[in-house]
Amino acid sequence: MTTKNTIAVLVNDHPGVLQRVSGLFGRRGFNIESITVGQSEEVGLSRMVIVTVGDENNLEQIEKQLYKLVDVIKVIDLSSKPMVARELAMIKVKAEPPQRPEIMGVVETFRAAVIDVGTTSLIVQVIGDTEKIDAMIELLKPYGIRELTRTGVTAMIRGNA
Amino acid sequence: MSAQIPEVRSTDELRQKWMKPEVITGSEILLRSLLLEGVECVFGYPGGAVLYIYDAMYGFKDFKHVLTRHEQGAIHAADGYARASGKVGVCIATSGPGATNLVTGIATAYMDSVPLVVITGNVVSSLIGTDAFQEADITGITMPITKHSYLVRDVEDLPRIIHEAFHIANTGRKGPVLIDIPKDVSAAQTLFVPQTEPVTMRGYNPNVLPNKIQLDKLTQAIAEAERPFILAGGGVVYSGGHEALYEFVRKTEIPIATTLLGLGGFPSGHELWTGMPGMHGTYTSNQAIQQSDLLICIGARFDDRVTGKLDGFAPQAKIVHIDIDPAEIGKNVAADIPIVGDVKAVLELLNQDVKRADLADAWRAQIQQWKAAKPFSYKDSETVLKPQWVIELLDKTTKGGAIVTTDVGQHQMWAAQYYKFNQPRSWVTSGGLGTMGFGFPSAIGAQMANPDRLVISINGDGGMQMCSQELAICAINNIPVKIVIINNQVLGMVRQWQELIYNNRYSHIDLAGSPDFVKLAEAYGVKGLRATNKEEARRAWQEALDTPGPVVVEFVVSKEENVYPMVTQGSTIDQMLMGDE
């Protein structure tokens, strides 16, 4: 059964490591839906969070193939455990003065924020899981979206684990 | 001409000599580090970006450097050296085109898990990324075909990187490691402190010892099996597990097939050995796999040339998969009993309590019956030379004792079928990548690693022309390889596919315009001989064996001969074309 899987990969913070990991996905025919990278809690190590679509065999192969990379320290299948996943999006939406109150209403409902105001546009920042951001985009579409950027998902296991 | 292979010199004494910490250049660090890693010879080709390294090599006699005529020759020679010796093969090339000429050889080694350390030069650090003269992002280009790679940014990292590279290349599932050294790094100086501590790397810990519970499951499965069968691959040879495998078969009396890369990992004359399985494998091995109820795969990776159509492979068998690389387990064929570990270590542990497969007597009888009824066979001729007959001639006259390297194609399959290997590291062939041009230069490396053994390089007329320039190396260094060319004047394996699968539409396979191979050999100062019938063949081959130096022997053979049996793509391996027996 094909599902969406979220994997955290702890890697050496060496030049080229992102290329090694993303190259591995490409070469082996694994799909990357989103990939985020940044510093981890330990100096010298980065944490990548990769969202991938595939079946159980795919996921097992991805984990095993990742472990073959010398720069990969640890691979964690986050989606097999209770996790929190968040993504940030910025949406530049067309907003003539008459539409603004309506748009502000949507922003407040989603507990999003307006982070820039132009004469005919607003930049809305929204943080949440992928579904929430998708919903927000749907609601803003009728006003006209001029530009959209999303960070991709980052995630962690809930609780003390 | 002296009849000496260039001496290989790396000794404990020399290693001691280089042990004292000293301020030296990156180039000297490289050379000393190679010596400390036990390197005896390197194959290479100089150029702008490695000039400091070659300068440091001026007058350096502590290991042998072989100057090939093409970087591809260098890396295949290093590969042949590694396969025939079990040591790490080393080659050096310059930046840009020098480095990219290595790509085929790196991929070849990667596919067959051969330990190499590949050293390339690069442009000076400040020019990297500017499309400078002879610049190529070789670490980027080779990332998918190396086990690991390094771009050295600081000369101080060099001793550690070289030490790590050798460790990574020759442990776990072996493979090629690339070290890219910018020109300024090879010129920079630093205090060299020899690296002798064992390497510890957080992200690299091959799992050598298996899980005991899985071993017990296997022991139990053997006791219950009525039709057990072993499929042994290159991992047996690479781990040095051939003796343990022999012991395992002796104790369990389970019939065994060895894959293309596993040839020599088990003595071919043994009663329980059924030959190579797969596309051009024996009837017995393929039937045995398909009808087995327990298939024990040892150090092999279920390559598609072995399995045929996956859906329908070994349909009745409980699958046991023993491999050092966890990623191989379940990649192509799901394993019922997965065993991750070094093949030798696993077999030695198993041998402690494994017993004879007592329920398999009828099965053993069945295997013997198949073996007797359907051995490899061909229709011999008195008018034209048959390539199979030529291989049999080589086998008989050398009693299976030579190191044989091959190129890729029909001659490769015939060599695998008709030469009888009885010891590991005697068979050097490009399996996974199927690299034409590999056969001849790899023999140079194999001979360097084994100065006292007979090395025969079997090539087709096509592949021989992909690296024939390395005849120069044999001549000037007097490397006594016996270079066999099975000349059928076409790209034989392509011809076979076009005949059988593409309705006799022979598209662009005619090698008319090939050189006179005897004259080609002579042009390089190598003896050349030709045979067109059996009598000439016997005589020419004997002359080659009696000649102390390198010899090219061209056997002009039948053009139409095909390799049988054959399993066409999309068939299960028991659906075999047997040819006209």
Side-chain angles (χ1 to χ4, degrees):
Chain A
M1 195 186 66
T2 304
T3 52
K4 200 179 267 197
N5 304 297
T6 309
I7 311 160
V9 190
L10 204 60
V11 296
N12 281 324
D13 191 7
H14 287 170
V17 70
L18 177 61
Q19 190 187 353
R20 280 183 210 280
V21 171
S22 58
L24 173 81
F25 274 74
R27 181 169 80 87
R28 297 268 174 196
F30 306 138
N31 169 60
I32 296 180
E33 194 157 279
S34 100
I35 183 165
T36 61
V37 199
Q39 283 179 355
S40 73
E41 67 282 0
E42 194 179 324
V43 177
L45 298 186
S46 296
R47 178 173 268 105
M48 296 184 179
V49 175
I50 303 169
V51 181
T52 172
V53 177
D55 59 20
E56 216 171 285
N57 278 347
N58 272 144
L59 186 65
E60 189 186 323
Q61 262 298 305
I62 289 171
E63 274 191 46
K64 287 174 167 178
Q65 294 291 345
L66 281 170
Y67 268 123
K68 284 177 73 169
L69 298 179
V70 169
D71 281 331
V72 168
I73 309 288
K74 200 165 184 204
V75 182
I76 307 143
D77 172 17
L78 296 173
S79 37
S80 68
K81 305 183 178 81
M83 62 158 190
V84 275
R86 289 292 180 270
E87 191 178 357
L88 182 148
M90 286 194 258
I91 307 156
K92 188 180 279 180
V93 62
K94 220 170 119 191
E96 300 290 344
Q99 279 93 49
R100 288 193 185 183
E102 252 180 82
I103 294 173
M104 293 306 286
V106 175
V107 168
E108 272 160 38
T109 319
F110 276 80
R111 278 188 275 174
V114 171
I115 56 171
D116 182 66
V117 181
T119 50
T120 60
S121 69
L122 296 172
I123 298 180
V124 177
Q125 166 196 287
V126 54
I127 298 169
D129 57 23
T130 303
E131 289 72 29
K132 176 179 167 181
I133 290 170
D134 289 346
M136 177 101 200
I137 292 167
E138 276 312 305
L139 283 172
L140 291 179
K141 253 185 199 165
Y143 301 98
I145 292 176
R146 289 196 172 156
E147 209 177 314
L148 170 69
T149 180
R150 298 172 74 150
T151 57
V153 175
T154 192
M156 261 186 196
I157 298 172
R158 283 183 186 278
N160 299 327
Chain B
M1 195 184 280
S2 71
Q4 288 294 312
I5 296 177
E7 202 186 326
V8 283
R9 296 183 181 81
S10 185
T11 60
D12 286 342
E13 201 181 317
L14 276 174
R15 284 196 282 278
Q16 286 303 322
K17 185 175 134 195
W18 298 120
M19 283 297 278
K20 69 173 186 295
E22 237 180 307
V23 176
I24 50 175
T25 65
S27 299
E28 288 169 305
I29 290 175
L30 172 64
L31 303 191
R32 290 192 191 186
S33 299
L34 292 181
L35 265 172
L36 294 174
E37 300 296 337
V39 171
E40 299 166 329
C41 69
V42 302
F43 302 87
Y45 204 102
V50 287
L51 280 181
Y52 286 109
I53 296 171
Y54 275 83
D55 185 62
M57 257 193 265
Y58 184 78
F60 189 85
K61 291 206 182 326
D62 295 347
F63 58 68
K64 170 73 187 170
H65 175 273
V66 178
L67 172 66
T68 57
R69 294 301 182 263
H70 191 297
E71 286 87 354
Q72 189 178 356
I75 190 158
H76 290 330
D79 184 319
Y81 177 91
R83 293 189 205 224
S85 68
K87 297 175 195 160
V88 178
V90 181
C91 73
I92 302 180
T94 192
S95 64
T100 54
N101 276 345
L102 298 174
V103 169
T104 303
I106 297 173
T108 305
Y110 183 73
M111 288 287 271
D112 290 347
S113 309
V114 178
L116 294 186
V117 168
V118 179
I119 294 150
T120 52
N122 210 331
V123 298
V124 294
S125 303
S126 57
L127 285 180
I128 286 181
T130 65
D131 303 319
F133 177 66
Q134 292 197 328
E135 186 196 351
D137 172 18
I138 195 65
T139 44
I141 290 168
T142 58
M143 228 169 240
I145 50 168
T146 48
K147 187 171 171 187
H148 192 54
S149 55
Y150 295 92
L151 169 56
V152 187
R153 284 155 197 278
D154 187 334
V155 69
E156 285 183 22
D157 297 333
L158 199 51
R160 171 186 59 82
I161 285 175
I162 297 167
H163 196 44
E164 280 180 7
F166 275 83
H167 174 69
I168 293 169
N170 209 18
T171 52
R173 180 175 184 174
K174 301 173 185 194
V177 178
L178 180 116
I179 307 175
D180 195 25
I181 308 176
K183 193 169 181 177
D184 52 318
V185 173
S186 65
Q189 293 202 335
T190 190
L191 177 69
F192 170 58
V193 182
Q195 303 274 309
T196 50
E197 297 296 305
V199 173
T200 51
M201 297 175 78
R202 208 167 151 192
Y204 181 71
N205 299 295
N207 212 344
V208 172
L209 289 174
N211 179 326
K212 178 82 170 88
I213 296 166
Q214 300 294 348
L215 294 188
D216 291 344
K217 278 194 206 162
L218 173 53
T219 312
Q220 185 61 30
I222 290 170
E224 290 164 2
E226 289 175 10
R227 299 183 309 281
F229 194 65
I230 298 168
L231 177 62
V236 172
V237 177
Y238 297 155
S239 69
H242 56 282
E243 281 167 357
L245 175 66
Y246 190 84
E247 181 67 6
F248 181 69
V249 175
R250 192 187 66 76
K251 285 193 158 166
T252 59
E253 291 179 34
I254 300 175
I256 172 170
T258 43
T259 67
L260 181 70
L261 287 185
L263 292 176
F266 191 82
S268 63
H270 196 282
E271 193 195 5
L272 289 167
W273 185 71
T274 64
M276 179 173 79
M279 182 177 268
H280 296 296
T282 59
Y283 179 86
T284 309
S285 293
N286 286 0
Q287 292 297 329
I289 287 171
Q290 289 305 83
Q291 298 192 24
S292 64
D293 63 356
L294 176 68
L295 182 63
I296 307 167
C297 178
I298 306 175
R301 62 185 173 89
F302 295 112
D303 178 79
D304 55 278
R305 285 295 194 264
V306 166
T307 61
K309 188 174 152 196
L310 266 179
D311 198 10
F313 174 76
Q316 308 159 44
K318 181 183 267 191
I319 306 273
V320 183
H321 196 173
I322 302 171
D323 206 298
I324 185 88
D325 180 359
E328 283 306 332
I329 291 170
K331 188 184 78 179
N332 297 337
V333 174
D336 299 291
I337 305 178
I339 301 178
V340 177
D342 175 73
V343 163
K344 184 181 178 188
V346 171
L347 288 173
E348 282 175 349
L349 284 170
L350 275 172
N351 286 340
Q352 290 174 6
D353 43 30
V354 84
K355 298 206 170 53
R356 184 176 184 274
D358 271 335
L359 304 180
D361 284 333
W363 173 243
R364 277 182 276 260
Q366 169 73 76
I367 300 262
Q368 292 311 327
Q369 194 191 324
W370 281 328
K371 267 180 82 171
K374 307 242 182 193
F376 284 130
S377 65
Y378 65 97
K379 210 184 266 171
D380 201 6
S381 160
E382 290 310 311
T383 50
V384 286
L385 266 182
K386 287 295 182 93
Q388 300 94 327
W389 182 89
V390 174
I391 306 288
E392 284 181 333
L393 172 72
L394 305 183
D395 179 54
K396 274 183 222 143
T397 49
T398 60
K399 301 187 178 62
I403 295 176
V404 174
T405 83
T406 78
D407 212 70
V408 169
Q410 287 184 317
H411 70 275
Q412 178 190 31
M413 291 298 116
W414 286 316
Q417 291 178 339
Y418 291 92
Y419 200 91
K420 304 289 176 233
F421 296 93
N422 291 316
Q423 38 180 327
R425 302 201 177 278
S426 297
W427 168 243
V428 174
T429 198
S430 165
L433 198 68
T435 307
M436 281 177 77
F438 174 84
F440 169 42
S442 66
I444 295 172
Q447 184 81 80
M448 294 289 292
N450 299 274
D452 301 325
R453 283 185 69 185
L454 173 65
V455 178
I456 306 173
S457 174
I458 306 176
N459 302 272
D461 45 327
M464 184 64 199
Q465 294 183 60
M466 288 198 175
C467 277
S468 60
Q469 71 284 352
E470 305 306 341
L471 282 166
I473 316 287
C474 292
I476 56 160
N477 295 303
N478 202 23
I479 295 174
V481 176
K482 309 305 170 201
I483 305 141
V484 169
I485 301 173
I486 306 284
N487 187 352
N488 61 356
Q489 295 121 63
V490 288
L491 289 171
M493 192 58 97
V494 181
R495 186 197 172 282
Q496 175 166 343
W497 282 53
Q498 289 178 345
E499 178 189 327
L500 299 174
I501 303 163
Y502 295 87
N503 272 327
N504 300 321
R505 285 158 60 87
Y506 297 118
S507 180
H508 301 279
I509 50 157
D510 190 342
L511 288 177
S514 293
D516 177 328
F517 288 107
V518 172
K519 283 188 181 160
L520 180 73
E522 285 167 355
Y524 280 103
V526 171
K527 179 181 257 188
L529 301 165
R530 177 180 295 118
T532 56
N533 59 44
K534 284 185 176 174
E535 203 203 319
E536 284 174 11
R538 284 194 198 96
R539 207 181 322 131
W541 180 239
Q542 193 54 51
E543 188 178 344
L545 288 177
D546 293 341
T547 304
V551 186
V552 169
V553 195
E554 178 192 12
F555 296 94
V556 180
V557 300
S558 150
K559 190 173 179 172
E560 287 80 24
E561 200 63 23
N562 285 338
V563 182
Y564 289 113
M566 179 176 180
V567 177
T568 54
Q569 219 135 22
S571 305
T572 55
I573 52 171
D574 48 357
Q575 299 171 310
M576 311 175 77
L577 307 177
M578 297 304 288
D580 48 3
E581 288 157 271

